[in-house]
C-alpha cells in the first residue's frame, strides 16, 4: 500500500446516472472499497429512480456516510423513518426506500454502500 493516495470525486473513475435525470453518483475505487458522492435532485425517490436499475423491491445497500447538503427521508421496510439533513452522519441497513425533501438537491458522501449502487447490468 502506498504511503498516500490522492483521488478526486471531481474527477471520478465512474459516474452512474439515475433515471429521469434525477441525479448521479460519482465513484472512486479504493482497495478498501468505493467512496461515492451522490447528488439527488428534487423529486428523486429510490423506488422511482433507482429501483428500475437495481431490480429489487427496496434498496439493498447498506450506507455509511454524511449528508453534505439538502434533506432526505429514509424509511426502512419495517416502517422506521428518519429525516437526515446537512451535517448529519448516517448509517442505514439494507431494506429501505428514500426520497429528497424540498426543492434543494441532496448531496451525500458514502464510503460503504455505493460500490454496486445504481449499477446497470449489461
Amino acid at each position: 500500500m502506498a504511503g498516500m493516495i490522492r483521488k478526486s470525486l471531481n474527477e471520478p473513475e465512474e459516474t452512474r446516472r439515475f433515471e429521469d435525470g434525477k441525479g448521479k453518483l460519482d465513484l472512486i475505487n479504493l482497495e478498501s472499497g468505493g467512496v461515492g458522492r451522490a447528488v439527488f435532485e428534487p423529486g428523486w425517490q429510490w423506488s422511482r429512480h433507482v429501483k428500475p436499475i437495481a431490480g429489487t423491491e427496496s434498496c439493498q445497500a447498506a450506507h455509511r456516510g454524511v449528508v453534505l447538503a439538502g434533506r432526505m427521508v429514509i424509511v426502512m421496510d419495517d416502517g422506521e423513518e428518519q429525516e437526515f439533513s446537512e451535517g448529519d452522519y448516517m448509517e442505514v441497513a439494507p431494506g429501505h426506500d428514500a426520497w429528497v425533501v424540498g426543492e434543494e438537491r441532496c448531496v451525500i458522501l458514502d464510503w460503504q454502500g455505493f460500490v454496486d449502487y445504481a449499477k446497470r447490468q449489461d
Side-chain angles (χ1 to χ4, degrees):
M1 178 175 168
M4 284 194 277
I5 297 172
R6 181 189 172 278
K7 295 187 177 196
S8 175
L9 287 164
N10 294 328
E11 298 174 4
E13 295 169 348
E14 184 178 358
T15 297
R16 300 178 190 157
R17 304 218 178 263
F18 306 142
E19 297 287 301
D20 300 328
K22 286 295 184 180
K24 68 177 183 169
L25 167 64
D26 291 325
L27 189 66
I28 57 175
N29 295 299
L30 307 169
E31 284 183 26
S32 60
V35 174
R37 177 180 59 201
V39 176
F40 304 95
E41 297 294 339
W44 176 90
Q45 183 171 8
W46 186 91
S47 54
R48 291 180 26 221
H49 301 104
V50 181
K51 180 179 178 176
I53 300 167
T56 56
E57 283 304 308
S58 61
C59 180
Q60 295 303 304
H63 301 285
R64 181 175 292 149
V66 173
V67 179
L68 302 176
R71 297 182 301 154
M72 180 177 285
V73 167
I74 300 176
V75 178
M76 302 302 296
D77 289 349
D78 69 4
E80 180 184 0
E81 182 175 319
Q82 184 74 252
E83 182 174 314
F84 296 90
S85 60
E86 183 176 337
D88 287 346
Y89 169 80
M90 57 185 274
E91 283 190 37
V92 181
H96 56 272
D97 193 6
W99 57 88
V100 171
V101 175
E103 296 304 315
E104 180 184 356
R105 65 176 37 164
C106 183
V107 180
I108 296 178
L109 179 68
D110 187 318
W111 54 87
Q112 179 176 358
F114 281 163
V115 172
D116 293 321
Y117 190 85
K119 190 173 191 175
R120 295 181 189 276
Q121 305 302 316
D122 296 329

